[in-house]
Amino acid sequence: MSKTSKTQDTGQTLNLNGQRLATVNKGEWGSTMDYQMNPWEQQSYNFAQQSFAENLPNINVFSSEVIQGLNSQVEAFKNQGIKSINEIYMPMLKDLQNDIATRFGNMNNSVFMDKLYGIESKRADSVAELAQNVAAKRQELTNKELANRYDYLNFLNSYQNQALQNMYNALGAANGQLPVSSKDNTNYDTGFVNILSTLFKAMSS
């Protein structure tokens, strides 16, 4: 349970469960405000700040490990596509060869060539479609990696904003009013990450 009480000087203090949370002192030259983070809150806030600062410069930079991981996923997707194509068309070619050999004794005839052309034409279309799907898969994985990074930065930023909002609220309660600037600061910080995301999308389009 929280309560607000006057200190011995000209200030006020906000207590939460018996622990001092915020203090506002008013003097001749103005007011001073002090917000007391508990150790876990301080540790979490510092981690969010540090992680945000460390990840922001390289948000659009892929390390060799990340690139290798993306390439491995694309390669697996491509190999599965090749396997599927072979499973469809190789039996068709084998059946055609057996049929023509049984009927004509050799492959040197127009019937075989016409049917072979039909099968190979369809297989070529499947290979071309697979190439497009592989390129789309690579782009999908790249976009997903970037989206996860931006989501993480937004999470860190939101956590910091919430911690600051808690501080504003506590100091406002101790002072008897909430500062209007807290909302503006929150919108500004969140907008910063959104601007970065918009800029990257514009650069990659």
Side-chain angles (χ1 to χ4, degrees), residues 89 114-128:
Y89 291 102
D114 289 343
K115 291 187 177 182
L116 176 63
Y117 175 80
I119 294 175
E120 289 295 351
S121 178
K122 291 180 179 179
R123 182 163 70 168
D125 290 341
S126 297
V127 171

Side-chain angles (χ1 to χ4, degrees), residues 2 18 21 28 52 68 92 98 104 131-132 165 176 202-203:
S2 63
L21 187 62
E28 180 180 358
F52 189 94
Q68 182 178 357
M92 294 174 63
N98 292 336
F104 301 100
Q132 294 179 349
Q165 189 64 56
M203 292 169 58

Side-chain angles (χ1 to χ4, degrees), residues 44-61:
S44 300
Y45 183 75
N46 290 344
F47 174 81
Q49 275 195 319
Q50 181 178 352
S51 297
F52 189 94
E54 290 175 349
N55 283 276
L56 181 60
N58 297 317
I59 187 172
N60 296 327
V61 179

Side-chain angles (χ1 to χ4, degrees), residues 17-191:
N17 294 329
Q19 299 294 322
R20 188 178 68 171
L21 187 62
T23 301
V24 177
N25 292 309
K26 298 180 181 180
E28 180 180 358
W29 302 104
S31 300
T32 60
M33 297 182 177
D34 182 32
Y35 177 72
Q36 302 294 322
M37 283 187 174
N38 64 55
W40 301 278
E41 186 181 10
Q42 182 70 61
Q43 182 179 359
S44 300
Y45 183 75
N46 290 344
F47 174 81
Q49 275 195 319
Q50 181 178 352
S51 297
F52 189 94
E54 290 175 349
N55 283 276
L56 181 60
N58 297 317
I59 187 172
N60 296 327
V61 179
F62 288 0
S63 66
S64 57
E65 291 80 6
V66 172
I67 294 175
Q68 182 178 357
L70 294 176
N71 288 339
S72 296
Q73 295 181 70
V74 172
E75 187 69 16
F77 179 83
K78 182 185 72 175
N79 291 338
Q80 182 59 46
I82 293 174
K83 179 181 177 182
S84 298
I85 291 175
N86 288 335
E87 288 176 348
I88 293 174
Y89 291 102
M90 292 305 293
M92 294 174 63
L93 290 172
K94 185 176 181 180
D95 290 343
L96 174 62
Q97 290 174 345
N98 292 336
D99 178 60
I100 296 300
T102 300
R103 293 168 57 189
F104 301 100
N106 60 71
M107 307 298 172
N108 188 21
N109 58 78
S110 60
V111 175
F112 172 72
M113 296 304 297
D114 289 343
K115 291 187 177 182
L116 176 63
Y117 175 80
I119 294 175
E120 289 295 351
S121 178
K122 291 180 179 179
R123 182 163 70 168
D125 290 341
S126 297
V127 171
E129 182 180 0
L130 174 61
Q132 294 179 349
N133 291 340
V134 169
K137 185 66 175 180
R138 181 180 296 278
Q139 188 62 51
E140 174 191 340
L141 293 172
T142 300
N143 291 341
K144 183 178 180 181
E145 173 67 22
L146 289 172
N148 289 339
R149 295 182 178 198
Y150 277 98
D151 286 344
Y152 182 56
L153 282 187
N154 275 317
F155 165 75
L156 294 173
N157 189 61
S158 296
Y159 179 83
Q160 293 178 74
N161 288 336
Q162 185 59 56
L164 291 175
Q165 189 64 56
N166 292 341
M167 179 187 69
Y168 291 136
N169 291 341
L171 292 173
N175 194 39
Q177 61 180 0
L178 291 176
V180 295
S181 60
S182 61
K183 182 178 180 181
D184 296 333
N185 289 339
T186 300
N187 291 338
Y188 174 82
D189 292 338
T190 303

